[in-house]
Structure formats: structure tokens, C-alpha cells
Amino acid sequence: MNDTFRLGGDLDVHRLGFGAMRLPSKDGMGGPARDPETSRAVLRRAVELGVNHLDTADFYVSDNAAVRANTLIREALHPYPSDLVIATKVGPIVRSDGFSHGTAADMRGLVEANLDSLGLDRLDLVYLRIGAMAPPHGESLAERFEALAALREEGLIHHLGLSNVDARHLTEARAIAPVVAVQNQFAAGSGEADLLASCEEARIAFVPFFPVGGGRNVDDKGLAEVAARHGATVPQIGLARLLASSPVALAIPGTGSLSHLEENMAVASLTLTEQDLADLG
């Protein structure tokens, strides 16, 4: 298995990256704050272990935005290693009075907020995130994506991606500007196979979130049997299966724990056999 992927044709990233959602809070977005120093230590250790693809968002925050993922990244890693690729998402607007979906007119402000919080002049990769937890089938993303494409032309963004979309959204967006990555919930819907096939054909990275349950217990007999065979954990085998599923698949497991980080990164040394993959279905 190739352990690197050329994102957008010019950014070489390790296929095993890191997701920052759980850095501000162990409960994900909006939960009680973690100890910021521990989260900064996790980031520094991730880079030491070879991570050069970080996935984040300006709306990854703890309760009352007391701790923010982007701020932690800047404090821990700036000035950034030359090979570090930071991907972020825009679309959702999270305020103290609730959650809303940004419009085309909001895109510049959301991009500038990420530039400011990360301490960057240009963002490596910006995903347009639409909908809630499932792709909003039938909803057009054209105006929002056109706004991001204009910011790309200005030089504020290097590459563009899509998050929480279906195959029609991908086609719609690619008619406007190049798409280098798609970030969707793993096996989120009936159109996922078609979407992955489209990504493979165009060499677009497919970057699932919650690939092995999003921190929830996973009850899967096949995963458990293969894990026992390798002396590994079920989440480790889940990540290894994801990476083996497609040459365009990237993994971004996230954690605020140093021990869990070490466990996730050990997946790089796991090689699933043909029998393992057959048993996993």
C-alpha cells in the first residue's frame, strides 16, 4: 500500500493524517474544554510521528469557544513545517445563539477567519461543508462554491474540496473549479459507492470522517476477529481497512489523547492480508 497521496497534483501527504475536532473538547464540537497544553502536546507529537496532513475548522471549539482547534494548531506548530498541509472547512456558522448555514456572501469572512486563526496568508485546502450529518440531496452548492473559487483566484486558497456531498454535488462543483478532495461520513448513504468511484477516476482524495464510529463503540465481528489475529484494536483495523479500500482514501483520525494518538499512528505499520480483507467483507 502506498503510504502517500499527491493532493491536487502538488501536495504530497501521508495517507494517515490527523483530525483536530477533538482537540478543544473530548465531546467534539461544543463540549467541555480539554486542557489546552495536552492538546498542544498531541499536535506536536503527531508531527513528530510523521503527520503532515491536519484537518481542522474554525468552528471546532469547546463550550463558549473557550478553546479553539485553530488556535491550538497555531500555538503548537507555527511557524509550520514546510511540508505540513492544513485543510479546513467553511460553511457552518456557529454562534452562541445557535447554528446556521453560511451563504455565498459569508464565504469571504469564513475564509478570512481561518487565515487569521491559523496565522496563514493562504489556506492549503478549503472544503465547502454543506448540510448537517447527511448530504442534502438536491440542494445546489454552486453559488457558495463560486464564491470560494473567486477567493482561490485571489490567492487566499490553494485548493478546494467538498464535504458532506453526493455525486451530483461533485459534478456541479467540478464544472466551476477543480475539486481535489471530498470529505464525507464513511458509508453515509446509498450514493457513496458512486461518489468514491468518481473520486478514484479523477484522482480526487476521499477523506471519510467517523470511519470507525466517531469515538463510539463499534460492534463488528469481522473487525474483532481480524484485530485479534493482528494483536490490534478494532479501531486500528477499521482504519487499516479504510486505507486498503481505495488508493485515493485518506484517514484523519482525531484525538486529544497522547496514548490514543500513538495507537492511531501505529496503523501505518499494519498490513492487511487478502484473507483479512475477505473476512472484513
Side-chain angles (χ1 to χ4, degrees):
M1 179 185 71
N2 190 346
D3 66 354
T4 63
F5 181 85
R6 179 154 289 183
L7 192 64
D10 64 350
L11 299 176
D12 290 320
V13 298
H14 295 143
R15 293 180 63 207
L16 186 57
F18 181 85
M21 188 180 75
R22 297 189 180 278
L23 288 176
S25 166
K26 66 179 181 180
D27 296 329
M29 291 187 295
R34 288 187 187 270
D35 171 33
E37 184 49 45
T38 299
S39 295
R40 288 189 287 266
V42 167
L43 283 163
R44 290 189 289 265
R45 182 59 177 152
V47 171
E48 289 174 358
L49 291 172
V51 167
N52 70 344
H53 172 209
L54 290 180
D55 183 85
T56 187
D58 192 57
F59 52 83
Y60 287 173
V61 299
S62 68
D63 281 343
N64 303 314
V67 181
R68 310 183 71 95
N70 283 4
T71 302
L72 292 167
I73 291 170
R74 188 187 72 243
E75 291 172 345
L77 301 176
H78 196 279
Y80 300 115
S82 60
D83 67 338
L84 182 65
V85 173
I86 300 178
T88 190
K89 288 166 288 296
V90 298
I93 298 177
V94 182
R95 299 190 177 95
S96 59
D97 58 350
F99 168 93
S100 63
H101 298 287
T103 66
D106 294 314
M107 294 299 111
R108 178 179 291 275
L110 296 175
V111 166
E112 290 177 346
N114 278 276
L115 287 166
D116 181 64
S117 58
L118 289 166
L120 291 168
D121 296 321
R122 183 178 72 165
L123 298 167
D124 295 321
L125 170 59
V126 175
Y127 292 95
L128 172 61
R129 164 76 188 205
I130 64 174
M133 287 304 293
H137 304 297
E139 176 183 310
S140 174
L141 52 69
E143 290 187 357
R144 287 166 289 178
F145 200 70
E146 286 169 353
L148 290 178
L151 296 174
R152 176 177 173 268
E153 290 298 314
E154 284 186 34
L156 299 183
I157 300 169
H158 186 42
H159 287 306
L160 294 171
L162 300 172
S163 180
N164 203 43
V165 296
D166 59 27
R168 289 186 178 183
H169 290 129
L170 178 57
T171 299
E172 182 182 29
R174 292 184 70 199
I176 298 167
V179 175
V180 309
V182 170
Q183 187 175 137
N184 269 33
Q185 186 166 357
F186 193 58
S190 59
E192 205 72 12
D194 289 343
L195 182 61
L196 177 56
S198 296
C199 289
E200 288 177 342
E201 182 179 1
R203 293 297 295 173
I204 294 170
F206 186 72
V207 192
F209 59 88
F210 298 161
V212 283
R216 298 179 293 276
N217 289 329
V218 177
D219 183 13
D220 185 305
K221 183 179 179 181
L223 283 172
E225 288 178 352
V226 175
R229 191 180 300 158
H230 285 268
T233 67
V234 165
Q236 284 177 320
I237 297 302
L239 289 170
R241 177 173 64 175
L242 165 62
L243 292 173
S245 68
S246 169
V248 304
L250 309 183
I252 48 168
T255 181
S257 159
L258 282 165
S259 61
H260 191 198
L261 170 69
E262 299 276 353
E263 177 184 316
N264 287 340
M265 296 308 297
V267 171
S269 63
L270 269 175
T271 300
L272 298 181
T273 66
E274 292 297 326
Q275 184 61 55
D276 293 333
L277 294 173
D279 291 344
L280 291 170

